[in-house]
Structures are given as structure tokens and as C-alpha cells.
Amino acid sequence: MVAPNDGRQHTTAFTSQGTVDGVGSVTVTLDAGPYYASVLNDGTFYGPVPFRVTDGDSGHHWQVAEAVRRFVLSLNLPGMTADPDLHRIHKLPLRSMVELSNAAKDGIEGVHYWPIAETVGAGDNNRSDVGYPVQIAWVKSNLRRLSVNSEWLIARERLRNSMGVCPLPDAPFVHSVEVRPMTLYSDEAFDLSVDLQSLIFVGRTEEQDVVR
């Protein structure tokens, strides 16, 4: 069963997309956008699992970065902007505050993503174990308040625990995702009157070696 992800999971109405008897699959046609998926088995619901419908193809590192961005958007995290224009992929974390302050009229807010150099390890004679790290930084104006909003910590917890058996639906070649917590607060960010928190998502995959 599938339902649009509009940020109100408790009132979401699911639509049956098909039935599988034993091992099998169901092909569905959906418009691009965020959704929840759930499975009903012997009267028990499993899920919901957030995912996003997309298309296109590109290099693996870019796909991981874009998949992380889309997955974060699909979660509709409390307190985090849902504006796709304020979720941006960068080459490097440079001039981020300037871009966000120019884009947001009510203060600095947004989420930045940037790829970090991949790691490559030997898998066997034909394959390599490759990790594609993507760091995200969530910044938001705090009006120089030091009090912690519960949404701030809830969103971080959901981000950290969001990866399941299908960690990045938009990057099916990724078999697992490692989440590394980073700095929660920063004196430099407070000087700019913003809160800052960050995580690194490492998408792991196996790649066929090129024989020369």
C-alpha cells in the first residue's frame, strides 16, 4: 500500500497497489514526489517506510548525495524547512551562510549537502568495497537563544535512525548506510545567530573493478 507523504503520517490514507502471494513483486505507477509504503500481512501492518519517486542517472557519488537530499526531504522532519530550494548540494561548504541568508527572508535557514572523498577497499579479485560519504549541515536562525527546542533533537534522532533495510530508495546500488554524528553546536555559528548541526551519511556499495 502507498500513500503520499504530506507530513501528516497519523492521518495518511493508504491505497492498495496490489497483492503478492509468496515471493514476488508489484509494479506501480506513481508521479514523482515523496511517499510512504506499507505492507499488510495476515492482518499486521509493516511500515510505513518513506521513499521518493525520481528518475534519471548519473555517477554513484552524485546519486548518493541526491538520494540523501531527497530522503531528508521525504522525512518532513520537525522544524526543518520543506522548501527544496533550501536543500542544496555543494562542491564544498563555502559561502553557505551567504547563500542561505540571501534566500531566506526571515533569517538564515536551510540544509546543505556536500560529497566527501570516497573510500575504496579491496572486496575480492573482481570487486571493490566503496563508501560514498555525504555530509549534511542544517543551519537555522536562533535569535541568540540558547534554549533547546525539542524538535531540534527529535529531527536529529530521526535522521540518525532513519536508515533501514532499504536505506536509500533513490540509490538502489547502496547496500547499507553508516551514519556518523558530527558537531551539534558551534561557537562560530552562534556568533552568526544560528544553530548548526551536522551528520555524515556514508553510502556503501560494491563495484566491479575495471580490468585494464
Side-chain angles (χ1 to χ4, degrees):
M1 292 181 288
V2 174
N5 182 345
D6 59 1
R8 297 187 294 273
Q9 180 177 326
H10 60 288
T11 60
T12 296
F14 284 81
T15 302
S16 177
Q17 298 292 331
T19 302
V20 175
D21 185 11
V23 178
S25 62
V26 175
T27 300
V28 299
T29 301
L30 299 170
D31 293 331
Y35 295 88
Y36 289 116
S38 184
V39 175
L40 175 63
N41 182 30
D42 292 334
T44 301
F45 280 97
Y46 297 90
V49 176
F51 70 97
R52 178 174 285 269
V53 175
T54 184
D55 56 16
D57 189 20
S58 56
H60 277 179
H61 211 158
W62 171 262
Q63 288 186 69
V64 171
E66 181 63 21
V68 169
R69 174 185 173 273
R70 293 181 186 225
F71 190 79
V72 172
L73 276 167
S74 75
L75 291 176
N76 281 306
L77 296 168
M80 180 181 285
T81 176
D83 184 352
D85 289 338
L86 295 182
H87 288 250
R88 301 182 183 181
I89 299 176
H90 294 271
K91 296 178 182 177
L92 294 169
L94 301 175
R95 297 184 294 278
S96 300
M97 297 298 185
V98 174
E99 286 198 20
L100 289 176
S101 59
N102 288 340
K105 296 179 181 179
D106 298 325
I108 298 174
E109 180 178 5
V111 186
H112 287 313
Y113 309 77
W114 60 91
I116 301 172
E118 68 271 21
T119 60
V120 182
D124 55 32
N125 288 340
N126 298 314
R127 293 170 297 177
S128 295
D129 182 15
V130 184
Y132 290 108
V134 175
Q135 185 168 357
I136 77 168
W138 177 16
V139 297
K140 188 173 183 178
S141 296
N142 63 20
L143 302 178
R144 296 203 176 274
R145 289 192 298 262
L146 287 175
S147 58
V148 177
N149 188 321
S150 62
E151 290 184 341
W152 184 250
L153 297 178
I154 291 171
R156 183 179 180 85
E157 181 178 339
R158 290 183 183 175
L159 269 173
R160 192 185 68 244
N161 297 331
S162 60
M163 301 300 169
V165 293
C166 183
L168 291 175
D170 288 342
F173 55 87
V174 171
H175 60 68
S176 62
V177 177
E178 174 189 353
V179 183
R180 301 175 185 169
M182 299 295 289
T183 302
L184 183 61
Y185 296 107
S186 153
D187 290 340
E188 291 81 3
F190 184 72
D191 290 340
L192 294 171
S193 191
V194 299
D195 286 332
L196 166 67
Q197 57 176 308
S198 180
L199 295 167
I200 292 179
F201 293 86
V202 184
R204 299 200 176 278
T205 185
E206 286 187 344
E207 294 183 5
Q208 191 78 22
D209 287 343
V210 177
V211 179
R212 299 185 186 278

